[in-house]
Amino acid sequence: MHTLILSISFSVAVSIFLKLARGGGIRVDQAIAVNYATAVALSLWLLRPPLDTLFERPPAAWLILGLLGILLPSVFLVMAAAVRQAGIVRSDTAQRLSLILPILAAFLVFHEAVSGRKALGIALALCALACLLARPRHTGTGSPSGTSPSASAVATSAADDEARGSAARGWLTLLGVWAGYGCIDILFKQMARMGAGFTGSLLLSFTLAGLLIGLWLLARRTRWHARSLASGILLGGLNFGNIYFYIRAHQTFPDNPTLVFAAMNIGVISIGTLVGAGLFRERLSAVNLLGIGLALGAIVLLFPR
């Protein structure tokens, strides 16, 4: 269980970093590039994968590594676009709802047995997710002061086409976030099944992801920012811990991927909600607190006896 707790803790730390980065003048894309270079260095130093057999892998393993190498940096960038187009709340919701995809994969791909206890745990997890993501609605105040209803209607009509286009782009980015994070969870489970060879696979996926985002930044003729590059070292350490212990958790519970998928997603958002209230003074509603209770109940039900 400690592997899950460590993975959740590192993941929450990554979220805190990204939240602080937005207001700290850090260019996240550059930090992400250094993050993968740091993860490569930590893989070599701490995991010591066998380099002499690093490239001796079956075609299926290379397919998983290739997909991870593309998705890991791409989803970061899609998430940033989703935040711009659709807002932080919707983007975070799309990321958390990606839990549905790996849970389906647990039964359809990994052939996990379904029991009444497990089905109830999944139902509680989804209810907890809905409660944790609930936010108060804000109502509008009508036309701005000093603007006639007819002028407001004309302005609204003129902006309709642009608004529809922006909304369509926003939904596409949200779909990308939802599918991207869900697929990454499934691919990490597949990597965990590689056994002892996963350390080399982890190194290769970090290397490929770093190369792709580095080339993307060079193609954009990025002007490098010292603070962003330096902060990427911290992000890399946190992200390495998150992914490493997440894969270890799958290896600890090889026959119960639903527990890992659900506990990770629900655990991150539950602790993130509490951290948001404690550090960033975000308000918690009774529904949010109910969600935390349901999340704990779901994990208890999913945990093997």
Side-chain angles (χ1 to χ4, degrees):
M1 193 65 178
H2 72 281
T3 53
L4 260 178
I5 295 172
L6 286 169
S7 181
I8 290 169
S9 301
F10 277 112
S11 183
V12 171
V14 169
S15 298
I16 294 172
F17 173 92
L18 293 175
K19 188 175 183 70
L20 294 174
R22 291 190 185 101
I26 293 174
R27 297 170 190 174
V28 175
D29 53 355
Q30 296 183 28
I32 291 169
V34 176
N35 140 77
Y36 287 119
T38 304
V40 167
L42 288 173
S43 297
L44 290 169
W45 178 39
L46 297 176
L47 304 183
R48 302 185 184 277
L51 300 181
D52 53 335
T53 59
L54 188 62
F55 299 102
E56 297 177 6
R57 298 177 188 279
W62 280 112
L63 177 60
I64 293 170
L65 292 174
L67 290 173
L68 278 173
I70 294 170
L71 284 173
L72 284 173
S74 299
V75 167
F76 264 121
L77 300 175
V78 172
M79 183 68 172
V83 169
R84 290 195 304 270
Q85 296 285 343
I88 294 173
V89 173
R90 287 184 177 181
S91 302
D92 187 64
T93 302
Q95 179 184 351
R96 298 310 167 194
L97 288 177
S98 67
L99 169 65
I100 295 170
L101 288 178
I103 283 181
L104 287 175
F107 302 112
L108 301 177
V109 179
F110 304 117
H111 307 295
E112 183 177 354
V114 184
S115 65
R117 177 187 174 94
K118 193 166 293 183
L120 179 58
I122 293 170
L124 277 183
L126 295 177
C127 290
L129 191 63
C131 292
L132 288 164
L133 293 174
R135 292 292 183 270
R137 293 180 178 273
H138 298 282
T139 57
T141 57
S143 299
S145 177
T147 303
S148 69
S150 60
S152 178
V154 170
T156 301
S157 176
D160 276 350
D161 289 340
E162 182 179 353
R164 278 193 292 268
S166 177
R169 291 191 297 272
W171 281 111
L172 283 175
T173 56
L174 290 175
L175 180 61
V177 168
W178 178 77
Y181 277 103
C183 290
I184 285 173
D185 277 353
I186 295 168
L187 291 170
F188 277 141
K189 169 61 179 175
Q190 291 281 26
M191 183 185 289
R193 298 173 76 184
M194 296 178 185
F198 100 93
T199 56
S201 299
L202 201 60
L203 172 63
L204 288 172
S205 63
F206 286 145
T207 302
L208 182 55
L211 286 173
L212 289 177
I213 194 168
L215 291 173
W216 181 78
L217 289 171
L218 289 174
R220 296 186 65 197
R221 298 182 180 179
T222 298
R223 295 181 62 183
W224 302 104
H225 185 235
R227 178 193 284 182
S228 303
L229 295 173
S231 67
I233 299 174
L234 173 60
L235 178 61
L238 298 175
N239 202 31
F240 171 82
N242 171 31
I243 293 173
Y244 173 77
F245 287 111
Y246 182 64
I247 295 174
R248 282 298 193 197
H250 273 299
Q251 292 178 329
T252 303
F253 303 101
D255 299 322
N256 198 1
T258 299
L259 168 66
V260 181
F261 291 139
M264 185 65 191
N265 281 272
I266 299 299
V268 167
I269 196 169
S270 298
I271 296 175
T273 300
L274 294 174
V275 169
L279 291 183
F280 303 107
R281 298 184 179 179
E282 297 175 359
R283 295 183 63 183
L284 292 183
S285 67
V287 175
N288 297 146
L289 294 173
L290 174 62
I292 294 173
L294 290 175
L296 293 173
I299 292 172
V300 169
L301 286 172
L302 292 171
F303 198 82
R305 291 182 176 179

